[in-house]
Amino acid sequence: MYNGEKLNPEQFVRDAVKEISEQVGSDTVVLGLSGGVDSTVTAVLVDKAIGKRLVCIFVDHGLLRKNEFEDVLEHYKSLGLNVKGVRAADRFFAALKGVTDPELKRKAIGKTFIDVRADEARKISGARCRAQGAFWPEIAESHSDKGVIKSHHNVGGLPDDLDFGLVEPLKYLYKYEVRQVGACLGLSSHFLGRHPFPGPGLGVRCLEECTPERIHILQEADAIFIDALRREGLYDKIWQAGAILLPVLSTGIKDGRRCFDNVVALRAVNSVDAVTAEVIDLPFEFLQKVCKDIVAQVEGVGRVVYDISPKPPATIEWE
Ligand code: XMP
């Protein structure tokens, strides 16, 4: 097991593959993929240890980025992973109906994830273990001695009655170390350089109730922002960026008429391990252009603001 010294990725992979093989024996392992770096690195590591006895489940909760489900599923298949894509947006939106409290929202999303994955896991004969890609700050923040800061939903994963063993090879690594291990496993720098994305997805960036309509607005605004960051060569200089849909309507004028439209906040931060974060000083002209594009192209958005708050005190996600 990794002991906290400077990571040697090759050695880590060799040790992890051996440990996973020993732990799992001849069992089948179920892994919930999120589309992110952590669960993908975990999947490739476990795949290296036990091959097709790893069954991955990738759930579309309706809270992913624009076109994310199709793109990511394709990527998983190209990596040779044994993966099943499950479209379950309706179940998530039903669970989120009327939910506005951030923690209740996380719990509703987390519980639905567990239900959907458990339904799928029960269909897999011989499944006895589950693997998960939680990394160290998530585990630490979810179990702080000052109580739960945010109940990161992906710490956990299947209901107790399934009585599965737990495979967590990245448990003691920081994010940059997870990326080093991913590179050692042959994952592309384009993929490894993707910004972290929370398990509850746009659910924690859509303040107040998450309806399909509000998530659609957020997906469109977010895609304009992220595409612009990539086009301008800014994406790789940033730890994490995204759009947030605020729970207020603001006054505007469109076609000579007064209107009340949604407000979108943009956030872009740098960090090492997500425990602290500083705001990126994005060029003003860039922000103005993104604002113009969003209000022109996204129906229902009339105002865009840029979040200049560091963590602490402001957490990276607004909820
Ligand atoms: P905060 O908002 O706590 O975020 O500053 C720190 C890092 O954790 C991510 N995050 C989450 N990831 N489930 C996740 O899988 C969650 O509920 C969750 N909440 C925050 C966040 O995107 C950032 O990278």
Side-chain angles (χ1 to χ4, degrees):
M1 178 45 75
Y2 174 55
N3 60 10
E5 287 168 9
K6 190 173 180 320
L7 184 76
N8 173 337
E10 288 81 15
Q11 188 61 46
F12 177 87
V13 169
R14 275 194 296 276
D15 291 349
V17 165
K18 186 163 169 285
E19 277 177 30
I20 294 165
S21 307
E22 284 169 7
Q23 182 186 351
V24 172
S26 58
D27 289 341
T28 293
V29 175
V30 181
L31 167 66
L33 284 169
S34 70
V37 171
D38 317 314
S39 63
T40 307
V41 171
T42 304
V44 176
L45 209 46
V46 179
D47 175 79
K48 210 171 158 62
I50 63 165
K52 294 288 175 267
R53 277 187 294 121
L54 168 67
V55 185
C56 301
I57 301 169
F58 179 41
V59 176
D60 177 11
H61 51 17
L63 306 165
L64 294 169
R65 289 193 142 121
K66 189 177 176 182
N67 299 330
E68 182 93 344
F69 183 68
E70 297 77 8
D71 293 352
V72 169
L73 197 55
E74 207 41 55
H75 179 238
Y76 287 145
K77 289 184 178 157
S78 75
L79 291 174
L81 294 174
N82 184 11
V83 58
K84 179 169 186 204
V86 182
R87 287 193 183 272
D90 291 351
R91 282 177 76 171
F92 282 86
F93 283 121
L96 285 166
K97 203 166 167 41
V99 181
T100 54
D101 176 84
E103 277 303 291
L104 293 181
K105 215 188 247 188
R106 268 194 178 76
K107 289 205 164 73
I109 296 170
K111 180 178 181 311
T112 311
F113 249 123
I114 290 172
D115 292 348
V116 172
R117 284 180 181 162
D119 288 352
E120 294 302 319
R122 287 194 181 93
K123 294 180 199 160
I124 301 164
S125 65
R128 295 298 309 271
C129 290
R130 71 180 193 263
Q132 68 180 23
F135 65 114
W136 181 239
E138 283 184 355
I139 305 233
E141 285 199 355
S142 291
H143 304 283
S144 152
D145 57 7
K146 297 197 176 102
V148 171
I149 297 171
K150 285 186 186 180
S151 55
H152 292 82
H153 89 279
N154 51 355
V155 177
L158 285 173
D160 292 343
D161 69 298
L162 278 175
D163 193 24
F164 280 14
L166 189 59
V167 178
E168 278 182 305
L170 309 180
K171 194 171 173 179
Y172 297 109
L173 301 192
Y174 281 99
K175 190 90 184 178
Y176 69 94
E177 294 173 321
V178 175
R179 289 192 171 121
Q180 289 174 358
V181 171
C184 179
L185 289 166
L187 292 171
S188 70
S189 54
H190 176 84
F191 177 75
L192 291 172
R194 276 163 50 113
H195 295 168
F197 189 65
L202 298 180
V204 291
R205 295 184 183 173
C206 177
L207 278 51
E208 298 276 342
E209 189 178 355
C210 298
T211 60
E213 297 73 26
R214 297 191 79 229
I215 292 292
H216 175 74
I217 290 174
L218 182 53
Q219 282 173 329
E220 295 297 321
D222 177 74
I224 290 171
F225 182 37
I226 299 297
D227 287 351
L229 288 173
R230 283 202 185 278
R231 243 189 347 266
E232 296 301 320
L234 294 163
Y235 185 91
D236 291 333
K237 299 180 178 145
I238 294 171
W239 155 275
Q240 193 167 16
I244 301 101
L245 185 63
L246 304 191
V248 286
L249 296 179
S250 80
T251 305
I253 306 164
K254 271 189 187 162
D255 303 325
R257 286 218 196 108
R258 183 187 174 100
C259 55
F260 290 102
D261 275 335
N262 287 288
V263 183
V264 164
L266 305 178
R267 185 139 172 79
V269 296
N270 261 342
S271 179
V272 176
D273 50 17
V275 175
T276 62
E278 60 192 45
V279 177
I280 306 270
D281 186 8
L282 286 175
F284 193 62
E285 299 74 43
F286 170 83
L287 288 170
Q288 282 181 308
K289 170 87 173 70
V290 171
C291 169
K292 274 189 189 140
D293 288 348
I294 290 176
V295 295
Q297 294 169 34
V298 187
E299 182 85 27
V301 176
R303 195 178 292 263
V304 177
V305 297
Y306 187 53
D307 181 355
I308 55 164
S309 325
K311 175 183 180 179
T315 52
I316 295 174
E317 306 298 344
W318 277 46
E319 283 196 335

